[in-house]
Amino acid sequence: MRGEFIVAKVAISRAAYSFDAEYSYSVPENLRDAAKVGVRVIVPFGKGNKRSIGFITRTYAESEYNEKLKPISSVIDSESLLTDEMMKIIFWLKENTFCTFFDAYKSVVPTGFSYSFSKHYNLVNTYIDDERLSSEERNIIEFLRINKNQREIDNFLDSRNDPDKKRIVDRLIDKGFIEETESLKRRVGDESVKMVRLSDRYLSGEEAFSFTPKQSMVIKLLEESGSASVKEVCYMTNCTTTIIKRLCEKGILHEYKYEVMRDAVGDITERRDPEKIQLNEEQTAAYEGIMSLVKSGKPAGALLYGVTGSGKTSVFIRVIHSVLKMGKTAIMLVPEISLTPQMVTKFKLLFGEKIALLHSSLSLGQRIDEFKRIKRGEARIVIGTRSAVFAPVSNLGIIIMDEEGEQSYKSDTSPRYHARDVGIQRCGHNGGVLLMASATPSLESFYFAQNHRFHLFELKHRYADVSLPQVEIIDMQREVAEGNDSLLSRQLADKITETLEKNEQVILLLNRRGFTTYISCAECRQPVVCPNCNIPLTYHKKNNRYMCHYCGYTMDNNCVCPNCKSDKLKSSGVGTQRVEDEIARIFPSARILRMDADTTSSRYSYEENFRAFENHEYDIMLGTQMIAKGLNFPEVTLVGVVSLDKALFTGDFKSYERTFSLLTQVVGRSGRGQKPGFAYIQTFVPEHYVLNLAAQQNYDEFYAEEIALRQALIYPPFCDICVIGFSAPLESKAISASKWVTWLIGEYIKTHKVSFPLRAIGPAPCTLEMINNKYRYRLILKSKNNKDFREMIRFVLSEFYKNNDFRTVHIYADINGDIGL
């Protein structure tokens, strides 16, 4: 074959990291118009030419036909779900997070758009001599003869987890008695309604028709309205669908499907003008400085550093409003799903239907519909958690990361990206601004702002000169010594009483759910542990079960030790359920709202519960860290931290930073209205400098202390940290794999001219050595995240996957991730 020949590079969905690449395929003549960059295709892959799904990464023309290239079988998408910018982001994720192409694709495109093959089996219409079949083969053939339900047949012959059944089915297929076919199915379809309108044949008036009275009513309705849904027609004319079907068969009506969007944002009942938001002098200076960066049209990073209650959200709103007037779009990121209801409510009032919502609590259908609205340009403001940074907006003007120091912005599964890094890439492609904001920014961001890598804007005072809450640290050792065995100190209990008498509200923080967090046996002195993780189980009183918060294992509370069967079990440790019981005992008339992972599992629980608390349907809100940040309840005048000491001593270099941030943020929930606020921090280490600086809301001094320590010990931002993790069912395999990788890195450095410094820590067991029956080890590398370093990591991963000795070992590499567990 001579002449122009089109080649497509295709990334395959089921490719493992070791053979993940762009594979070349020829594009048949009949598919040239459809086979565009970004669309998904079906291709033969591997030696067996198994039908596989992939997406086209690029195309190019060749002058000579290459007979060795396999052709693309078919095109799945009518148009690409990827923009040109998102294709660049996929390549960036592949390069920087050591993921596969399709891992990156699935991060950018909602899961609801995914396709899968399903197998179907049918009995071939041919003579079958039952005497020549084995008993197992006869049973299958007899089942197919009797059963006509395709789903039941497919389920019966599904042999994915049954090798013996697979061999039998394969023999019957080889003999030609059973036919196996595959169909392609999208995980979630488009939502649509059946619509009808008068046909062109009827409207032409060239034919005369006679109608029954009911049919005449339908015709009259459609002549007046033009079109209507089948349900509407039936309701308005009191007719049945049979009448409509008959009119369609006669060619009088035309039936079609109309796509409807599954609503994620909710009704918009009221509108306010963003320009009426009044900014004070500090806010105005920050707003003008940020807008000057946006108007420059050059990519930039900025940090808005402001105390709690300083009005950062008002600055966000005014900036977004101005960005929209420039014809650009905006992305607003929040770290927790719990923060989206209040943010969405506020943005709905100000921006109406221009907003879209993206987070994991939406249904798959809602997520794909929001994605389509954004891609079509119907929504110009996107609000969501980490994954919303991939929203397919065009002409992006600004990305705002609220509470930018939160660890939840970092993905802990492949691809292991940080939303800040993706945001920097997107702003680079669009000439936009990445605006990070927090009262407690990450040390890395504040360091870069201090060194002029980011622009720094400060809000040093609360809005309307409202005072910061008055904070007191309570020594719980003294409380115990004086005979108080309650979970609440006397000062905190007295202050709660006083606050409730004033009809004001209270927030209490304890970052551990459950009732008791440690159960041990007094006879054998062994803790009650998870058999999969070897971690102490947490007792949950509400369902009277022991639960593992890592693998999900649960066990009945039989009140006996699993090891020695003794009934002398002792409980210790405190969770939110136990604190709830204690509060109810001390304050029997108080209305208590508990907010943790056990009470917020339903889709709308955050929104409903926070709205109820805001409407003063509850007096006390008790919860984990989900209630500590970004929430605004003017009637809250008291915050109590029940206990947070454990967070200080997790062994992670970020433990002080996380504890300071959590304390500062939760204390900042108090006194945000016109009434003065108070906060009490209960602790057994009252002299600890982190607690005292958090009580003073003194981030600057905390930063000075912590950054000096980071520099002395060489931790970020003075280096990058790469964790290479290993997990395996056998501990010996995890150990040998980690040692082999350590040796391989040493050999690589000997034989290559590397441009990066390198320090290795380990390999050693992870803090939680076993989770879900997998032993976990890690190697920590301190280095600089540059091209040469990433090339070394890719080499190590590729060589590891080639080593058959480690087929049962899972490996991953994570740059600047969490090393706490």
Side-chain angles (χ1 to χ4, degrees), residues 377-518:
E378 296 169 12
R380 298 176 61 205
I381 305 169
V382 180
I383 303 172
T385 48
R386 178 181 65 226
S387 60
V389 75
F390 297 113
V393 294
S394 57
N395 197 17
L396 180 61
I398 193 162
I399 299 176
I400 298 173
M401 288 180 64
D402 195 17
E403 308 300 347
E404 66 85 28
E406 288 302 308
Q407 186 63 27
S408 55
Y409 281 124
K410 179 71 166 69
S411 171
D412 57 5
T413 57
S414 182
R416 291 177 164 84
Y417 67 91
H418 196 292
R420 178 182 58 240
D421 299 329
V422 178
I424 289 171
Q425 294 299 312
R426 296 207 65 181
C427 290
H429 293 310
N430 289 273
V433 174
L434 174 65
L435 175 61
M436 299 159 282
S438 182
T440 54
S442 66
L443 263 72
E444 292 88 343
S445 294
F446 199 69
Y447 174 81
F448 293 137
Q450 296 278 20
N451 288 275
H452 309 295
R453 181 171 169 180
F454 298 145
H455 299 267
L456 179 62
F457 304 99
E458 297 188 62
L459 303 177
K460 298 181 179 180
H461 303 91
R462 277 191 160 185
Y463 187 74
D465 291 325
V466 174
S467 299
L468 288 168
Q470 181 180 323
V471 185
E472 184 174 341
I473 294 177
I474 299 173
D475 185 353
M476 293 303 289
Q477 292 195 54
R478 178 177 296 176
E479 290 285 318
V480 173
E482 293 176 357
N484 180 14
D485 59 356
S486 170
L487 300 176
L488 302 181
S489 62
R490 289 165 296 183
Q491 297 100 308
L492 180 55
D494 290 344
K495 195 65 179 178
I496 292 174
T497 301
E498 179 185 329
T499 303
L500 297 179
E501 287 175 351
K502 294 179 180 178
N503 198 32
E504 296 167 0
Q505 291 176 296
V506 180
I507 288 179
L508 296 177
L509 172 72
L510 177 65
N511 205 22
R512 289 195 300 274
R513 61 190 178 102
F515 189 81
T516 54
T517 58
Y518 190 88

Side-chain angles (χ1 to χ4, degrees), residues 589-604:
S589 61
R591 298 165 297 176
I592 304 166
L593 171 63
R594 178 163 60 87
M595 292 288 290
D596 55 31
D598 299 317
T599 62
T600 56
S601 55
S602 65
R603 184 173 299 167
Y604 302 108

Side-chain angles (χ1 to χ4, degrees), residues 553-585:
Y553 171 83
T554 66
M555 184 175 77
D556 289 332
N557 177 20
N558 297 319
C559 300
V560 295
C561 174
N563 298 310
C564 69
K565 308 306 178 185
S566 168
D567 60 356
K568 297 179 180 178
L569 295 180
K570 180 182 178 183
S571 299
S572 59
V574 179
T576 49
Q577 291 181 8
R578 186 176 170 193
V579 175
E580 182 183 23
D581 281 6
E582 182 84 346
I583 297 169
R585 181 184 65 81

Side-chain angles (χ1 to χ4, degrees), residues 253-543:
L253 298 186
H254 172 68
E255 185 180 88
Y256 62 99
K257 288 185 177 181
Y258 178 77
E259 185 181 6
V260 294
M261 295 289 111
R262 286 156 282 212
D263 185 29
V265 176
D267 294 333
I268 299 166
T269 57
E270 185 183 348
R271 288 293 301 273
R272 296 178 187 170
D273 186 355
E275 292 191 356
K276 291 185 178 180
I277 293 177
Q278 298 295 317
L279 303 182
N280 62 25
E281 189 175 332
E282 281 186 331
Q283 290 172 314
T284 301
Y287 162 77
E288 291 175 350
I290 295 164
M291 285 310 303
S292 68
L293 296 176
V294 175
K295 291 174 182 176
S296 72
K298 298 177 181 178
L303 175 63
L304 180 60
Y305 164 46
V307 299
T308 56
S310 57
K312 293 184 287 294
T313 304
S314 296
V315 177
F316 301 160
I317 291 168
R318 288 292 300 275
V319 167
I320 290 173
H321 179 62
S322 298
V323 166
L324 295 188
K325 290 203 300 184
M326 293 173 62
K328 295 178 178 289
T329 55
I331 297 175
M332 176 80 214
L333 300 178
V334 293
E336 302 262 4
I337 295 173
S338 61
L339 299 184
T340 54
Q342 279 200 341
M343 190 70 73
V344 169
T345 300
K346 189 172 293 186
F347 273 61
K348 276 199 303 187
L349 286 172
L350 297 163
F351 299 107
E353 67 282 349
K354 294 177 184 176
I355 70 170
L357 190 58
L358 288 176
H359 60 71
S360 59
S361 281
L362 299 179
S363 69
L364 294 178
Q366 286 175 319
R367 272 181 269 176
I368 65 174
D369 284 354
E370 291 294 88
F371 181 91
K372 286 186 284 189
R373 287 182 60 232
I374 297 164
K375 195 168 185 291
R376 293 169 185 166
E378 296 169 12
R380 298 176 61 205
I381 305 169
V382 180
I383 303 172
T385 48
R386 178 181 65 226
S387 60
V389 75
F390 297 113
V393 294
S394 57
N395 197 17
L396 180 61
I398 193 162
I399 299 176
I400 298 173
M401 288 180 64
D402 195 17
E403 308 300 347
E404 66 85 28
E406 288 302 308
Q407 186 63 27
S408 55
Y409 281 124
K410 179 71 166 69
S411 171
D412 57 5
T413 57
S414 182
R416 291 177 164 84
Y417 67 91
H418 196 292
R420 178 182 58 240
D421 299 329
V422 178
I424 289 171
Q425 294 299 312
R426 296 207 65 181
C427 290
H429 293 310
N430 289 273
V433 174
L434 174 65
L435 175 61
M436 299 159 282
S438 182
T440 54
S442 66
L443 263 72
E444 292 88 343
S445 294
F446 199 69
Y447 174 81
F448 293 137
Q450 296 278 20
N451 288 275
H452 309 295
R453 181 171 169 180
F454 298 145
H455 299 267
L456 179 62
F457 304 99
E458 297 188 62
L459 303 177
K460 298 181 179 180
H461 303 91
R462 277 191 160 185
Y463 187 74
D465 291 325
V466 174
S467 299
L468 288 168
Q470 181 180 323
V471 185
E472 184 174 341
I473 294 177
I474 299 173
D475 185 353
M476 293 303 289
Q477 292 195 54
R478 178 177 296 176
E479 290 285 318
V480 173
E482 293 176 357
N484 180 14
D485 59 356
S486 170
L487 300 176
L488 302 181
S489 62
R490 289 165 296 183
Q491 297 100 308
L492 180 55
D494 290 344
K495 195 65 179 178
I496 292 174
T497 301
E498 179 185 329
T499 303
L500 297 179
E501 287 175 351
K502 294 179 180 178
N503 198 32
E504 296 167 0
Q505 291 176 296
V506 180
I507 288 179
L508 296 177
L509 172 72
L510 177 65
N511 205 22
R512 289 195 300 274
R513 61 190 178 102
F515 189 81
T516 54
T517 58
Y518 190 88
I519 303 97
S520 59
C521 176
E523 288 286 345
C524 66
R525 300 185 180 182
Q526 294 297 312
V528 179
V529 299
C530 171
N532 303 325
C533 306
N534 201 32
I535 296 169
L537 294 172
T538 298
Y539 174 59
H540 286 246
K541 186 178 180 181
K542 294 295 180 182
N543 59 4

